[in-house]
Amino acid sequence: MAENDIYKGYKGVALSVLKNFGARVWNDVIIHTANGKFIGLILPRSETADDLHIVLKIPVGYNIGIAAESIIGIDINGYKEAKYKIPEKEFPYDPLKPRVKLLGTGGTIASRLDYRTGAVIPAFSPGELYGSVPELADYCNLETEKLYGVFSENMGPEQWKGTAEAIGREIEKGVQGIVIGHGTDVMHHTAAILSFMVQNSPVPIVMVGSQRSSDRPSSDAALNLIHAIKTASESDIAEVMVCMFGPTSDEYGLLHRGTRVRKMHSSYRSTFRTIGDIPIAKVNRENITPLRTDYKKRRADNNVIINTSFEEKVSIVYYYPNMKPDIIDSLIDNGYRGIVIAGTGLGHVNKPLYPALRRAREKNIAVYMTVQTLWGFVQMYVYDTGRDIMEMGVVPAANMLPEVAYVKLCWALGQTDDLKEVEKIMMTPIAGEITEREPSNGYLIYQGGLPEVEEFISKYRK
Amino acid sequence: MYEFEFKPFNKMTRADYETVGFKSGLEIHQQLLTEKKLFCRCPAGKYSTEYDAEILRHMRPTLSELGEYDGTALMEFKTRKNITYRIKRETVCTYEMDDTPPFLINDEALDAALSIGLLYDCNLVDELHIIRKQYLDGSIPTGFQRTAIFALNGKVPYKGREINVMQMSIEEDSCREVSDKGHDRIYLTDRLGMPLIETVTAPEMFEPIEVAEVASICSRLVRSSGRVRRGIGAARQDVNVSVTGGTRIEIKGVPRIGLIPLLTYNEARRQWNLLRLRAELHRRKITSETFSSRIVDITRYLSRFAYLPLKEAAEKGQKASCVILKGYAGLLHWETQTGTYFAREISDRIRVIACLTDLPNIVHSDSKGENLSAPDWSFLNKTLEATSDDTLVLVWGDENDVKTACSEIIIRAKEATIGIPSETRQALEDGTNGFERILPGAERMYPDTDLPPIRVTLDRKKRLEQNLPEKFWETEKKLSDAGVPADLIREMSNPAKSALFFEFFPNRISDAKLISKILANYPKRLKKKFRSGIQPETEIYKIILENLADGKIIPSTVFTILANYSINGELILTGPLDNSAIEDKIREKADEFREIIFRNPEKKTEVISGKILAGLNFRVAFSRVIQSVEGFKGI
């Protein structure tokens, strides 16, 4: 067996102490130290922790770290390796229920503990899922396929293309709904690119994740999954959606359009919000309640268009006061073909950037303007600054969210070099990424402390 | 072997407890005195039943680190509770709501905990690992308590022996329960997250009174650190009890030490009587193998019963079932605790696990109370083909709850053939206890992946050791050796008082009795005499001792000086008077004294001297007054 497995995570002083006494990870031991003896099981150590301690699980279930230097002897009484396994149960088949495919990409919707890093790592298997969330069988016949096992932040073009192709295959095979398990950090990037790569889907495509990992009793994973599976099985909304908690309470989920959704809090359960519009629907265990009617409807055919074009040399530049042109210049010099700027206010940057922007146009680089306020349209006619910037070839990207404009530009540049063509693709709404109008209830951020807001919070659970 | 029968509480002797093999240990929970909570920066110790918002959550069991589901976790999942948290902005942030990961551990709290660990003579661990201890009852919104062992293998002296302290952990406190009815449980979150230590002793107490005495010692010890909270709910005891052949049962939430003896007695009695019940079952040839029972849906007969709860169930359209326990006749009326019967064990389980919280939640054919009429029971016996050897247990409510209840009735009845199920039980005001949950095992522990391990450096240990208060039993011994009267030692062992004592004793004031009388006795007398007066601070006592040591005041004036301070807030340090002042006073009072007819003429001088002394505000020594009175002509 590899030394890595025998001494998982141990190094330096701690490693040599283990070796000296012939002990290894998962040994049942009595450790003798200058301060007395300790009985327990030697656990793996996190690789990022120091090399001075040995971790022992004592019989009451607690873990403690023992200073390696204080150890004067280790008696080995056995070996007990932890086998972390969710009880697997075969997913029951019901001929009356729809076929739903769950594609796994990673994230904490299903996860287990990693001793190497001490963090949770994704795990994914249909039987495991049924073993831990048996309610899923109330809605569908579930098939699963693990496409990837990566953390959200490691999702990229390769995974996006692969996921879009997998969706295409499943639709052709006739599944009646698709659920994609995904980490939450870049879920909205993936939702946006899939909205472009997968067009004219006849079935719901529902992205889901969890903000509290499924190794916690209070996890939102199970309920999010139930909501997503219900949506994929029963809803008539044939769009790419994100299905995550509406409030922080275990009450209902929201179905957000893939191009208008954004993660808005680093840790809240209700982190996903539709920006500049309202969500498509509300979902709980019993009902799917549409909040609007202008969504694409489910169809009985198996037709879908998959276009996985993608240009990787595209960047987002988050503008800040005092930004120097070298930021833009370095992108130009490194061969970037597209730049999305998240500008201030209605879509502005400072004058020192102008030469760099002119240079970008000369080099045939597509430059688009979005707003870092997230809510609202780019409007570059209001001030001279805006007009100047447009003059330099920067295209206002309406009310596309910066991340959405970014993935769309990647996708557009993947299809053509002709900037006129690119602009046509960019500015033609495909999946709600640009809306004609911003409804008056599309921008609602409550301000806590106001009596009427407090009254609202006290009446409705958050 | 179970011939012995429990006597009433006050008739039990130590020998009786030896007969049953009584063993008990303590788990003492003590809140630490800190400004902020343990893993977030919310203020600690602010309680209020008001709230600004509510959150609804559910709990699901997860796997332990070693890949096993915990029994308790699964039980809690069966109960399917809607858990509502009441939230007040001032005391709760998004951490307690489980919407933000933990912040690093509160160092003030950890220092306090480590200091107390040192007071218990524990080994501090070299590196703390924060663990998640699962609680699926919802008492913590995350579904687990963050906790870490920080000390091991300590001890406290008790009656010439040592009680071992097995481990100490630092953890976050849980929510306060508001109500628990049916499938809805409500919690207040103000207490949630406050720093707490848990101290676990070995099961080395062998009769109920010992458990209470050791609890008192531990309580004094931690209070002497000056770093723990006082007041209602700041300290809570769990007590573990077992008898020979029994199981370690944990009684949770003992509200005060005074209740411990009766609670532990009743638990020992319960275990003993359950073992006797098992013997009776075996005598009837009922074992876990031969155990037999049936469940029959009796919903359709509901309307024929006059018994009110059943009648109401019929009106509400609820379901009812009858569990037939073969051969159990009479055993549901088997006494377990004082005035409590085996039926209660079943009823408790159903209340908690099947969420049938309206009592009574069962009726059974062994009951002597008024419920079903004899003809009703006969009807059921006949219809359900039961015999007079069987016990019938009726349960009613929502369909799913009744289903869960029936299986729990069978589980609990069958457990009686095996012994005493491992449970966590709840302390009740009358000294008995009720079922709370199945005893959780080590399986519910899971490393907290949100926080790194915390190294306890040697420097930190040293710094804490240097600032450690003396252990109170050591202080008491020193005081006793110095000659402090036994009845004042406890009071004098207060760290401030003992420190002041040894500032003056023996070099500046050699009379230990005098100092301890002033420091331990006078404050009580002052409080009693001048209830609304000013109670002098330590600093005042120090000034008085200084003056006493320098001979500027005399012992007999001290109380008067203090009394004056208490009334007026003025510290008038009056020195001793000379002989002429005494003589003046005698002259002034001479006429008065001549009038007095003394019953005991031989005490005349003493009585007169006493009155003169009081008239002089005790500012002279008594012996000098006597001398002057004796020398005065004409009284």
Side-chain angles (χ1 to χ4, degrees), chain A residues 9 13 39 53 144 204 215 266-267 270 280 285 288 291 349 370 381:
Chain A
V13 184
I39 299 167
H53 299 88
T144 69
D215 59 356
S266 63
S267 55
S270 52
I280 303 174
R285 287 165 186 260
I288 298 165
L291 301 173
V349 295
T370 60
Y381 293 101

Side-chain angles (χ1 to χ4, degrees), chain A residues 53 143 229:
Chain A
H53 299 88
E143 301 161 24
I229 293 282

Side-chain angles (χ1 to χ4, degrees), chain A residues 53 58 79 119 136 138 179 207 254 257 268 274 288 348 374 399 402 406 414 426 442 455:
Chain A
H53 299 88
I58 60 176
Y79 177 86
L136 299 179
D138 296 344
V179 174
M207 301 198 57
L254 288 174
R257 184 160 272 156
Y268 248 82
T274 288
I288 298 165
H348 301 138
L374 302 178
N399 66 341
Y406 160 75
M426 283 299 284
E455 192 194 334

Side-chain angles (χ1 to χ4, degrees), chain B residues 53 63 80 104 109 146 168 190 204 217 263 300 421 452 524 533:
Chain B
L63 295 181
R80 306 181 313 274
L104 293 180
R146 290 195 160 87
M168 297 181 71
D190 48 8
E204 294 171 343
I217 292 172
L263 274 168
R300 70 190 124 141
K524 282 186 189 158

Side-chain angles (χ1 to χ4, degrees), chain A residues 35 37-38 43 45 50 52-53 55 57-67 80 82-87 113 115 118-119 132-133 135 212 214-218 222 226 248-251 267-269 285 454 457-458 461-462, chain B residues 52-60 62-69 84 89 94 97-101 123 125-127 129 131-134 136 141-144 146-149 152-153 167 169 171 442 445-447 449-450 455:
Chain A
N35 303 318
K37 62 178 186 179
F38 301 91
L43 292 184
R45 187 156 172 87
D50 67 32
L52 304 172
H53 299 88
V55 188
K57 176 173 277 297
I58 60 176
V60 283
Y62 280 86
N63 298 354
I64 58 171
I66 297 171
K80 190 193 175 198
K83 288 196 177 58
Y84 187 97
K85 202 159 166 23
I86 299 169
L113 189 78
Y115 279 108
S132 46
V133 194
E135 295 100 313
R212 294 288 89 78
S214 55
D215 59 356
R216 307 161 64 121
S218 62
I226 291 167
T248 181
S249 287
D250 289 357
E251 286 195 0
S267 55
Y268 248 82
R269 287 165 167 76
R285 287 165 186 260
E454 298 301 331
I457 290 169
S458 67
R461 290 196 184 98
K462 294 203 280 181
Chain B
D52 304 313
E54 289 182 307
I55 292 178
L56 173 77
R57 295 272 167 79
H58 301 97
M59 297 290 159
R60 264 175 190 268
T62 63
L63 295 181
S64 81
E65 188 179 14
L66 301 181
E68 291 145 32
Y69 277 110
T84 300
R89 271 186 302 277
T94 51
M97 290 163 61
D98 193 32
D99 264 322
T100 287
N123 286 324
V125 305
D126 303 311
E127 192 184 59
H129 285 249
I131 287 280
R132 300 173 177 177
K133 194 186 212 176
Q134 283 200 3
L136 276 89
T142 45
F144 52 77
R146 290 195 160 87
T147 166
I149 285 192
L152 292 158
N153 306 331
Q167 82 219 27
S169 49
E171 52 199 35
M445 312 295 271
Y446 194 92
T449 47
D450 295 332
R455 189 176 173 196

